[in-house]
Each structure stands twice: as structure tokens, then as C-alpha cells.
Amino acid sequence: MKPPIPVIPAPVWRSFKDLQEWEELHQSRPERGDRFSSTFESLTEGIHSFPGGFLVTAPADAFLNWARKSSVWPVTFGLACCAIEMMATFASRFDVERLGMVPWASPRHSDLMIISGTVTIKMAPMLLRIYDQMPDPKWAVSMGSCANSGGPFRHGYHVVKGVDRVIPVDVYVPGCPPPPESLLNGLLLLQEQISHFRKTGDRRPANDKVD
Amino acid sequence: MNETDARARIATDFPDAVVAAGGPAITVTLPAPQWRAFARFVKDTVGCRFFSFLSAVDWKDEGLEVIAYVENTDEHVCVLFKTRLGAGQTACESLLPVYRGADWMERECFDMFGVIFDGHPDLRRMLLPDDWVGHPLLKSYAVDTPYPPYR
């Protein structure tokens, strides 16, 4: 004799109302962002425009960029099959920790987001939310054909045709999926790009090798 | 009930149904009003307790066709039953009172094809975002419909 089939009530849609209210609070508060950055920028602009001031700002830039590029922490964020290659890159054989990268499971402590895989239209708002939660300065590496342009799913109905429609991207890594060597090359190019990052004073023109 | 007996019972109990000869599964084409009654019969009488899948086919001008596949895993009897809803029709009987496994399948079928399952208590979108417009697996859906900023 079969046991009676239990009557399961229909699931109730649970909206994340608290999280939404929390984010609204943080987006609308008056002292949003780094309140010292504008003071710092005007100070460094003043030093840089002073005759001979570049002697101060250029080593400061070099030091800050060395510090930034030596400790780029990617957020642990895998989307599709490219994430397998990303995990291989993080693991012992390719070992991104020798580049100063620690895969970190929180966007609030991370500097880099590797978009590893297909971004669907349903996933794009979540991706944008995670990207918004990362503190400045932050970078994004688009990994694989799907994240670059939509890839083989470009003519599908549900795929974002390139993640650069959602967030700004610094380095595009081609491949389907890119092997760990390709991603490692992309991360080295990103470090090259970060070393030309100008927060203080004028921005140098972009590196030919990078762009 | 083995496959030979099942074919005989289907022929006597559902004279309107068209049963295809041979094949790996018993393929039955039903008129749409007998959809749930046939599912009830095939579960209780034939013993097909495993609900494998439910899907739909868009035959353009001839309308939608809903397909379900159930299996009797004890005696290896597989039944594939399908029905045409008719041109322009989207209403179909829900199999949820018979099979609990039809819940998400019917939600996905509604999501992709826009089939309205009568009797389903919670017919929402399954895979696509809640604010999606249209049903993308219909032949009439334009893939290049703008969806800024993503498409």
C-alpha cells in the first residue's frame, strides 16, 4: 500500500526587502563614497601643477601603483564553464598567489572581478550588484567569448551580448574557454595596466601593449 | 501491467486516442479534453509513476502541441502522450493533481511557450526574470527584440 501523497503548500515568493532597503539607505546617504578623495585630489593636483611638483607626484604614483598591482584580490565569482579554468588558475599548478592575488569570497574586500562565463539577462543585475559592492579602485577582467561578446549564445534570447554593456571592463581574455595560461596572461596585462593607473596628477596615455 | 496489456486497455478505454504502432514507447495522441483523464489512467492503471518530462512544440499555424512522457520503471513501460491545443489556443489541463513532478515542468512550459495550465496553483515564470515580456520559444518571438541595456 502506498503512503498518502503529502499536500505541499505552494511556495510563497520571498522578496529581499531588507537588503533592498539597506542598499537604498546606503545609496541615498549624504556622505556617500570616500569623503576625503576630493580633498586629496585637489591637493595632489596643486602639487602636480606647481613647478617641479611632478618630482613628488610621480614617485607617489609609482609607489601607490606598485602597491595596488601587487595585491589584486579577485572576488570568487564563477558563472559558467570558464570558472573551471579560473579555479585551475587559482589552484596550485598556476598559482596566482605568487602575483599577490588571493581569491576572496567577499566583494567588499576585493579589487578585481573576473567575469568567467555567460552572463544571462537574469544574472546581469546580480553581477552589477556585486560589482557595485566592491570598493574603488576596482577592475574587471572579461574572460572567454561569452563574457566578451555573447559568444556562441550571441543570437540567443537570454544572453547579454558582452558584459561591457553592464560594467566597464579592463582586459578581455579571448578563448572558449581560455586556458589558465591565457587568463594568467590577462592578469599580467591587468597588472601592467594598473601600473599606469594615475590617481594623482595627469593620466599617462594608455600603454600600447595593453590596449 | 506490461506493454501489450497497456495497449489493449488504452484502445478500449480511450477510443478517441490515436496510438502509434511500435516504437520504444507507447505514443498516444489525445484530444485535449482527455489530457488529465489519460494521465490519471496511465498512472493508476498502467502504473507509470515516474513523470519524466513535459514540454511543448510550436507548430506555427496549427497551434501548440503539449507532450508528456511517463515511465513504469518496474515493468519498463514508457508512455508518451501528446495533444494539440488547436490554433491560437493556449489553455491546457494541468497534470499537477496527478503528478507532483509536473509542477516545475508546467511552469517552465508556461515560461517558454505561454501555455496556461488550468488547475495549476502557482503558475509563475520558472527560468526567465519576472519582468520578461513574451515567451521566447514560440516561433513568433523575435530574438532581436530590444531589451536595453542587455540586448
Side-chain angles (χ1 to χ4, degrees):
Chain A
M1 181 173 171
K2 288 186 295 185
I5 298 171
V7 178
I8 305 166
V12 181
W13 173 252
R14 214 155 47 89
S15 63
F16 298 95
K17 203 182 168 200
D18 296 342
L19 186 60
Q20 282 173 5
E21 283 176 358
W22 185 86
E23 291 212 343
E24 198 176 339
L25 173 73
H26 278 252
Q27 282 169 8
S28 63
R29 65 177 177 174
E31 67 275 22
R32 176 171 55 151
D34 186 1
R35 83 184 86 167
F36 299 112
S37 63
S38 60
T39 318
F40 184 72
E41 270 178 30
S42 56
L43 187 68
T44 51
E45 283 290 330
I47 293 174
H48 188 77
S49 57
F50 199 74
F54 69 93
L55 289 174
V56 179
T57 55
D61 276 341
F63 174 72
L64 289 174
N65 286 333
W66 169 78
R68 282 179 188 130
K69 81 170 190 182
S70 306
S71 164
V72 179
W73 285 15
V75 59
T76 309
F77 180 61
L79 282 177
C81 40
C82 284
I84 306 292
E85 304 294 316
M86 188 182 73
M87 283 186 270
T89 317
F90 290 165
S92 60
R93 183 169 173 187
F94 296 94
D95 191 16
V96 291
E97 273 193 40
R98 66 204 159 104
L99 310 176
M101 294 185 178
V102 181
W104 202 255
S106 162
R108 308 216 177 256
H109 306 156
S110 305
D111 311 301
L112 167 65
M113 180 188 241
I114 301 174
I115 299 103
S116 54
T118 318
V119 185
T120 54
I121 288 176
K122 197 174 185 179
M123 192 65 193
M126 289 73 156
L127 185 138
L128 187 61
R129 174 177 282 189
I130 292 174
Y131 186 77
D132 285 343
Q133 285 173 347
M134 288 162 56
D136 277 333
K138 55 191 171 186
W139 295 276
V141 170
S142 168
M143 179 186 181
S145 301
C146 297
N148 290 343
S149 67
F153 312 113
R154 187 176 172 83
H155 300 293
Y157 58 89
H158 63 300
V159 170
V160 178
K161 292 164 180 27
V163 76
D164 48 7
R165 295 187 182 218
V166 187
I167 61 171
V169 174
D170 293 290
V171 175
Y172 297 88
V173 181
C176 186
E181 297 89 345
S182 286
L183 180 61
L184 212 52
N185 186 36
L187 295 177
L188 289 172
L189 284 176
L190 179 77
Q191 287 194 334
E192 179 83 19
Q193 206 178 34
I194 292 170
S195 68
H196 296 280
F197 186 67
R198 286 287 172 276
K199 186 71 175 173
T200 62
D202 294 337
R203 277 174 183 262
R204 220 185 265 175
N207 189 4
D208 292 340
K209 191 179 157 194
V210 174
D211 289 338
Chain B
M1 182 179 284
N2 61 22
E3 187 170 336
T4 318
D5 297 346
R7 282 179 186 276
R9 278 300 296 271
I10 290 168
T12 53
D13 288 13
F14 293 88
D16 295 339
V18 179
V19 185
I26 306 173
T27 307
V28 185
T29 308
L30 294 161
Q34 294 183 5
W35 183 245
R36 191 186 292 160
F38 185 81
R40 180 86 60 191
F41 158 81
V42 89
K43 185 183 183 189
D44 294 341
T45 312
V46 186
C48 296
R49 292 181 59 203
F50 177 63
F51 188 85
S52 186
F53 67 83
L54 182 141
S55 186
V57 180
D58 184 8
W59 291 103
K60 291 188 179 176
D61 297 336
E62 300 168 32
L64 287 161
E65 182 178 34
V66 183
I67 295 172
Y69 190 84
V70 293
E71 294 174 16
N72 182 351
T73 49
D74 297 331
E75 296 175 76
H76 306 293
V77 180
C78 305
V79 181
L80 186 138
F81 52 109
K82 50 192 176 182
T83 181
R84 293 280 179 113
L85 302 182
Q89 297 295 313
T90 54
C92 179
E93 287 182 323
S94 173
L95 296 187
L96 191 57
V98 186
Y99 292 101
R100 284 299 293 186
D103 187 358
W104 284 13
M105 296 284 178
E106 289 181 352
R107 278 179 61 190
E108 186 184 349
C109 194
F110 161 71
D111 197 355
M112 294 296 170
F113 293 95
V115 180
I116 309 292
F117 288 96
D118 300 330
H120 195 291
D122 188 35
L123 200 63
R124 285 179 289 124
R125 285 197 180 272
M126 183 79 209
L127 301 172
L128 296 173
D130 290 337
D131 56 348
W132 191 282
V133 178
H135 301 282
L137 288 194
L138 291 175
K139 304 279 190 194
S140 57
Y141 185 84
V143 169
D144 293 332
T145 312
Y147 195 124
Y150 308 125
R151 189 170 69 201

